[in-house]
């Protein structure tokens, strides 16, 4: 039987690939997991009681787009956080941002652009769902380097005119995964202007927006309003996984222009999986509460301050502005990851597993990604062992 060719060149996903690299070797010490971006801070204390009080909701089909109460809570949070009014008809609840980032390409990418195969832009390195979404819709994924030379954000404006004219969608992540770079208001304004000039939409993955060091990162909706941009140009995706330490809740949202939202909701009605009602009630409470977010952010800020001390003086070390990853320079990411595991038991992720070869280069090859999600003492111990093992 035949199989589709469009996914034939996909590498193994990052974590099965990591297991192949490491699991044949015993750890050199007590294992410390610093690989996956799975928050381990305490979830809000109100989650259990709300869930228990709404168990009967598992007995009915939930609304596809989100309950009115949850959509209202999300709209209220956007207004408080960004000073932007987004009505409930421009919002849709998601099973985490990955679902929305994938399905938005299916719902919104045209079959042709300027009479040619459409292009979907993404930073390199990047969250891997961007590439799979592009391949699914038959678009050409264009991997744009996001390196220290570009402030760890993609310089889409530097692309050739013929590529820009074929762009249908452009993904951007701020704070960036894995580097922690934050897109400034000027960067986002320039990106929206580029989208207007070349007629494409910007898909902003903002799931790390509430984990920052010095100041809240600007959001695409906020800049779009200030610029008077066409609301159909900007889609934003948020999640409770990182903000509220609830990765297992699988709850997020997308905000978009009215026409885009009609298409997203139509696709969801046919092919989507709505969030169960008890989980929507939990999500509603999460978007209405900031105390647990502030407490969690302080824990991350303390861990980053500790990382700054441990890696002080290390050439190439750059403290991230947001998110909860370190993007550390090494000679070879795979070799460093294997050495670290075999000698200390500290488990990290090679940067190349988050990147693609483009133009003969893989911008992640000389890096490792380190997730600062464990409790403070464990994080400090893991980072100290990493420093001693890899940087001597």
């Amino acid at each position: 039987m035949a199989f589709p060719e469009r996914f034939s060149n996909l590498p193994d996903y990052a974590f099965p690939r990591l297991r192949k690299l490491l699991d044949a070797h015993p750890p050199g010490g007590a294992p410390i997991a610093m690989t996956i971006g799975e928050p381990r801070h305490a979830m809000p204390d109100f989650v259990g009681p709300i869930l228990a009080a709404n168990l009967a909701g598992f007995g009915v089909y939930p609304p596809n787009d989100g309950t009115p109460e949850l959509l209202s809570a999300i709209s209220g949070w956007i207004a408080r956080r960004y000073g932007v009014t987004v009505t409930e008809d421009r919002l849709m609840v998601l099973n985490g941002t990955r679902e929305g980032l994938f399905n938005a390409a299916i719902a919104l990418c045209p079959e042709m652009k300027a009479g040619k195969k459409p292009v979907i832009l993404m930073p390199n390195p990047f969250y891997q769902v961007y590439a799979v979404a592009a391949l699914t819709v038959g678009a050409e994924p264009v991997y744009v380097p996001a390196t220290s030379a570009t402030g760890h954000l993609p310089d889409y404006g530097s692309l050739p005119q013929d590529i820009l004219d074929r762009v249908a969608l452009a993904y951007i992540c701020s704070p960036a995964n894995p580097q922690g770079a934050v897109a400034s208001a000027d960067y986002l304004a320039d990106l929206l202007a580029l989208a207007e000039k070349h007629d494409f939409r910007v898909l902003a993955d903002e799931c790390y927006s509430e984990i920052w060091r010095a100041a809240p990162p600007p959001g695409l909706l906020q800049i779009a309003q200030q610029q008077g941009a066409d609301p159909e140009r900007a889609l934003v995706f948020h999640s409770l996984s990182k903000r509220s330490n609830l990765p297992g809740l699988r709850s997020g949202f997308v905000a978009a222009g009215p026409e885009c939202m009609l298409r997203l909701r139509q696709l969801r009605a046919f092919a989507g999986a709505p969030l169960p009602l008890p989980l929507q009630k939990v999500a509603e409470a999460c978007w209405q509460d900031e105390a647990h977010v502030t407490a969690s952010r302080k824990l991350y800020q303390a861990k980053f301050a500790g990382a700054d001390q441990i890696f002080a003086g290390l050439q190439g070390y750059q403290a991230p502005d947001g998110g909860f990853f370190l993007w550390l320079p090494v000679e070879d990411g795979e070799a460093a990851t294997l050495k670290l595991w075999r000698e200390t038991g500290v488990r990290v992720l090679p940067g190349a597993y988050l990147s693609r070869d483009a133009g003969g280069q893989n911008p992640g090859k000389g890096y490792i990604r380190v997730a600062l999600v464990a409790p403070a003492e464990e994080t400090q111990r893991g980072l100290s062992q990493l420093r001693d093992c890899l940087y001597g």
Side-chain angles (χ1 to χ4, degrees):
M1 292 184 289
F3 291 97
E5 290 294 318
R6 59 184 176 272
F7 303 127
S8 60
N9 292 325
L10 279 179
D12 286 344
Y13 197 66
F15 299 107
R17 195 173 172 187
L18 181 68
R19 289 192 289 272
K20 288 181 181 178
L21 176 70
L22 300 184
D23 286 359
H25 308 276
I32 299 177
M34 308 185 84
T35 54
I36 192 168
E38 181 180 61
R40 291 168 58 189
H41 295 171
M43 68 178 74
D45 57 11
F46 52 74
V47 170
I50 292 175
L51 195 59
N54 289 276
L55 288 178
F58 283 119
V60 299
Y61 286 120
N64 264 305
D65 305 326
T67 65
E69 295 80 9
L70 176 51
L71 295 174
S72 177
I74 293 169
S75 177
W77 177 78
I78 293 172
R80 293 190 302 275
R81 173 66 169 82
Y82 296 111
V84 176
T85 299
V86 179
T87 54
E88 285 84 342
D89 60 324
R90 290 181 53 194
L91 297 168
M92 187 175 74
V93 174
L94 302 170
N95 272 286
T97 51
R98 188 189 322 211
E99 178 213 353
L101 292 162
F102 179 78
N103 284 334
I106 299 175
L108 302 177
C109 185
E111 290 79 5
M112 303 285 284
K113 175 77 188 294
K116 299 178 181 178
K117 186 175 186 175
V119 160
I120 295 183
L121 302 179
M122 61 201 71
N124 194 20
F126 60 97
Y127 186 39
Q128 298 297 294
V129 73
Y130 308 160
V132 173
L135 296 174
T136 299
V137 299
E140 178 186 350
V142 172
Y143 308 108
V144 181
T147 65
S148 57
T150 64
H152 291 295
L153 295 168
D155 183 6
Y156 291 147
S158 68
L159 293 170
Q161 178 89 14
D162 62 320
I163 291 180
L164 288 170
D165 286 342
R166 289 195 292 129
V167 175
L169 304 172
Y171 287 103
I172 184 69
C173 183
S174 175
N177 172 14
Q179 311 96 318
V182 169
S184 67
D186 287 344
Y187 179 96
L188 295 174
D190 289 344
L191 181 55
L192 285 168
L194 190 71
E196 181 67 29
K197 180 179 179 181
H198 294 279
D199 190 24
F200 62 83
R201 295 184 175 92
V202 180
L203 277 55
D205 181 353
E206 298 181 354
C207 72
Y208 297 93
S209 69
E210 303 314 287
I211 305 174
W212 41 265
R213 300 195 70 177
L220 189 67
L221 288 178
Q222 172 187 359
I223 305 306
Q225 177 174 275
Q226 292 173 5
Q227 295 291 109
D230 181 348
E232 302 297 337
R233 295 268 172 234
L235 292 88
V236 301
F237 301 81
H238 282 264
S239 168
L240 292 174
S241 296
K242 278 70 176 176
R243 176 188 184 272
S244 298
N245 304 308
L246 286 168
L249 190 70
R250 308 312 307 135
S251 182
F253 73 83
V254 56
E259 181 61 30
C260 287
M261 187 53 66
L262 284 174
R263 294 172 183 273
L264 291 168
R265 287 187 170 193
Q266 182 186 39
L267 179 64
R268 187 67 166 322
F270 280 94
L275 196 69
L277 275 174
L279 305 189
Q280 294 201 40
K281 292 299 293 183
V282 171
E284 178 188 335
C286 287
W287 290 114
Q288 291 173 328
D289 181 75
E290 289 298 322
H292 73 281
V293 183
T294 301
S296 182
R297 184 187 304 120
K298 288 180 179 177
L299 296 177
Y300 284 120
Q301 289 171 339
K303 283 188 276 191
F304 276 122
D308 290 347
Q309 291 181 342
I310 290 171
F311 296 106
L314 175 64
Q315 185 175 3
Y317 172 72
Q318 186 171 345
D321 292 323
F324 50 49
F325 298 114
L326 298 182
W327 188 238
L328 297 178
V330 291
E331 186 173 342
D332 179 275
E334 275 197 330
T337 296
L338 183 57
K339 173 182 170 67
L340 187 62
W341 173 249
R342 295 180 68 176
E343 295 186 11
T344 71
V346 175
R347 199 172 177 101
V348 299
L349 190 68
Y353 292 7
L354 303 169
S355 309
R356 291 289 191 280
D357 293 334
Q361 300 289 327
N362 185 316
K365 180 176 172 56
Y367 289 88
I368 54 173
R369 192 188 77 172
V370 184
L372 305 188
V373 294
E377 187 278 331
E378 184 179 344
T379 296
Q380 195 86 349
R381 181 160 40 91
L383 293 180
S384 295
Q385 291 181 35
L386 188 158
R387 168 74 197 235
D388 291 344
C389 178
L390 297 184
Y391 304 108

